[in-house]
Amino acid sequence: MDFFELVSKRRSCRKFAEQKPERALIEKIMEATLTAPSSKNTRSTRFMVIDNPQIISRMSEMRDYGSAFMVGAPVVVLVMGTKSLTDLWEINCAISATYLQLAAEAAGLGSCWVHVGGRPRLKDEPQGEQAEEYLRTFLPIPKECGVVCAVALGYSGYDGQRTKPIANNDGMVTYL
Ligand SMILES: Cc1cc2nc3c(=O)[nH]c(=O)nc-3n(C[C@H](O)[C@H](O)[C@H](O)COP(=O)(O)O)c2cc1C
């Protein structure tokens, strides 16, 4: 599959098959992810690969909206950035997470981004406990790192090929 076919087929995957991806495949995806560009080549992004179902289950409770599906994911990669290396650490994380999702797709896995940074645990309590604070209570997140997102990974649990919804791209690109 070439790049253009890959991006045209990728969809967020929130339902996973029970089959656990092989460690070698995850390592290949992570190697590709580590080639991502970063501001001034600071390479500030750090990753935590989690395949323990009990830990993933706890992670899925980090928010009361948009994270519950993670409980069915065989692998979750936490994407973090070392803040002291660059003021653009969050942007570096976002690029890395995007590479991770595309590499997963190329490797035949589905994935979905679950946001962490700046998100409260409870939608109706924006000033309450933050998703990142909660994750720090049971994950060894380095104190010098901020967390941007978690990427859930696994073989797709959907039947057949899912198509992209028709998007209205009017006005999104200007050619001068
Ligand atoms: C910055 C960002 C944050 C996202 N946060 C979540 C999330 O918390 N939970 C979730 O289920 N999906 C999340 N997504 C996935 C988007 O909902 C999804 O990419 C979007 O609806 C487009 O669908 P597609 O990925 O199938 O093309 C996020 C995606 C991005 C890029």
Side-chain angles (χ1 to χ4, degrees):
M1 188 177 0
D2 78 5
F3 179 77
F4 295 98
E5 192 183 352
L6 182 113
V7 293
S8 74
K9 288 195 169 149
R10 188 211 55 79
R11 295 291 319 274
S12 289
C13 178
R14 299 181 180 87
K15 186 177 164 193
F16 299 96
E18 274 183 29
Q19 185 191 353
K20 195 171 168 176
E22 306 70 24
R23 171 56 71 97
L25 194 62
I26 298 297
E27 286 175 357
K28 188 174 176 182
I29 291 167
M30 295 315 301
E31 283 297 314
T33 300
L34 290 169
T35 69
S38 62
S39 170
K40 296 181 182 169
N41 205 20
T42 42
R43 306 190 77 221
S44 55
T45 310
R46 301 291 177 268
F47 306 89
M48 195 183 294
V49 180
I50 300 137
D51 64 1
N52 177 306
Q54 282 79 37
I55 297 177
I56 290 174
S57 172
R58 290 181 78 179
M59 291 180 79
S60 74
E61 293 169 9
M62 70 178 168
R63 288 171 32 196
D64 68 351
Y65 55 103
S67 66
F69 77 89
M70 280 168 68
V71 73
V75 180
V76 172
V77 181
L78 196 66
V79 182
M80 309 165 286
T82 305
K83 296 180 178 183
S84 59
L85 290 177
T86 168
D87 59 332
L88 300 181
W89 64 272
E90 287 170 296
I91 292 176
N92 286 346
C93 281
I95 294 168
S96 298
T98 304
Y99 263 58
L100 175 51
Q101 288 201 268
L102 294 177
E105 192 73 24
L109 300 186
S111 72
C112 189
W113 179 311
V114 186
H115 209 70
V116 176
R119 289 285 180 268
R121 283 199 76 193
L122 305 177
K123 198 174 191 174
D124 293 338
E125 291 181 20
Q127 307 305 326
E129 187 185 22
Q130 300 297 295
E132 179 171 341
E133 283 178 87
Y134 167 73
L135 292 177
R136 284 182 189 279
T137 63
F138 60 93
L139 291 176
I141 298 168
K143 65 177 184 319
E144 67 273 16
C145 285
V147 182
V148 165
C149 65
V151 177
L153 293 175
Y155 290 104
S156 173
Y158 297 102
D159 293 330
Q161 180 70 47
R162 292 158 72 230
T163 51
K164 282 250 183 212
I166 294 163
N168 177 4
N169 297 333
D170 292 350
M172 293 186 74
V173 183
T174 303
Y175 294 93
L176 294 182

